[in-house]
Amino acid sequence: MRPKNLEKEEAIRTIALQIIAEEGLENLTMQKLAKAANISPRTIYIKYKDKEDLLIKLFIEEVLGPYETAVLENFHASMDFATGVKKLWQNSFRYLTRNRTHFALLQNGKTSPLLNKAYQQANIEQGQYFKPIHQFFKQQVKQGVVRNFHQDIYRALLFAPLLELVNEYFDYTERPKQIITEKVILDCCEAVIKGMLK
């Protein structure tokens, strides 16, 4: 791809993520995206079949991969439970609060068929992403630290409270004082850790 085409591609993706974050997934149209990127709609259709194709590629290439890399930074499946969970929370919080547009697509992906379609289109099997976290929980179960649940339940127990706190963080960016700090995140993480212990 020529440099100019790469710039257009990057602009399309960046602006699409901004529209989703500011106006919601349902308000992203190819026409609106083309206008905001100052290009013709035909330019978008050269790369993407339709809006769904754009969203699926955005989700996999722009959000899921970078999010996984950030979450797993300095995390090891062999960590003790409290240290491992804290590391996952700290990494997630830092990444998501610095990437509001990615967070918006992650949140939208949960409530639409987008996530499942993205996985199917890319032939992504359940557990393919975040493998060290799955291994981490298997070891914790084996050691008798936590109860034996399906990996989707661990994901919900581990990340749902954090994602709600990130939502609150963004709500408070418009207010005089931010109440969701890293200290608050760690305090909440401690509560989640205690609740998950056997």
Side-chain angles (χ1 to χ4, degrees):
M1 198 178 269
R2 296 191 308 264
K4 201 160 197 165
N5 287 342
L6 282 171
E7 285 173 24
K8 282 182 186 174
E9 172 70 11
E10 195 173 310
I12 290 166
R13 289 176 179 231
T14 301
I15 293 167
L17 286 167
Q18 285 172 346
I19 292 170
I20 293 164
E22 292 166 11
E23 302 178 37
L25 193 61
E26 65 282 356
N27 290 312
L28 174 68
T29 66
M30 299 305 238
Q31 289 72 27
K32 183 184 279 190
L33 177 56
K35 187 176 179 184
N38 200 26
I39 57 173
S40 116
R42 278 186 300 147
T43 304
I44 298 173
Y45 287 111
I46 290 169
K47 179 73 179 169
Y48 304 103
K49 192 170 50 179
D50 52 26
K51 177 180 169 178
E52 187 176 283
D53 184 45
L54 167 66
L55 290 172
I56 287 168
K57 286 178 178 159
L58 271 178
F59 184 78
I60 293 170
E61 297 165 17
E62 296 290 321
V63 176
L64 193 57
Y67 179 51
E68 179 191 41
T69 300
V71 169
L72 296 177
E73 186 179 352
N74 298 319
F75 171 81
H76 307 284
S78 58
M79 289 177 152
D80 71 82
F81 187 66
T83 305
V85 172
K86 283 178 192 172
K87 178 52 70 182
L88 293 171
W89 268 52
Q90 286 174 311
N91 288 348
S92 297
F93 181 72
R94 285 183 191 138
Y95 177 78
L96 294 172
T97 54
R98 292 173 186 166
N99 294 279
R100 187 176 196 163
T101 56
H102 294 93
F103 175 67
L105 186 56
L106 274 174
Q107 291 296 87
N108 279 286
K110 283 190 327 182
T111 57
S112 80
L114 174 67
L115 188 60
N116 287 331
K117 283 187 179 177
Y119 281 3
Q120 289 166 7
Q121 182 171 314
N123 295 319
I124 297 170
E125 293 178 21
Q126 190 168 13
Q128 185 174 328
Y129 277 84
F130 302 101
K131 264 189 186 165
I133 298 175
H134 304 308
Q135 293 166 345
F136 173 71
F137 276 105
K138 280 181 187 168
Q139 289 180 6
Q140 300 302 319
V141 168
K142 196 173 180 181
Q143 294 167 8
V145 177
V146 295
R147 280 176 268 173
N148 190 10
F149 290 125
H150 188 276
Q151 65 187 10
D152 288 343
I153 295 170
Y154 289 129
R155 187 184 68 238
L157 291 171
L158 187 63
F159 288 107
L162 176 61
L163 295 176
E164 280 304 310
L165 289 165
V166 173
N167 257 327
E168 289 297 323
Y169 172 87
F170 286 122
D171 282 349
Y172 272 84
T173 56
E174 307 296 321
R175 299 181 192 185
K177 186 179 178 191
Q178 179 58 262
I179 64 162
I180 309 297
T181 62
E182 286 213 29
K183 184 189 180 321
V184 168
I185 288 294
L186 285 175
D187 290 345
C188 294
C189 184
E190 290 281 352
V192 169
I193 290 166
K194 285 177 187 167
M196 290 178 78
L197 292 173
K198 197 168 181 181

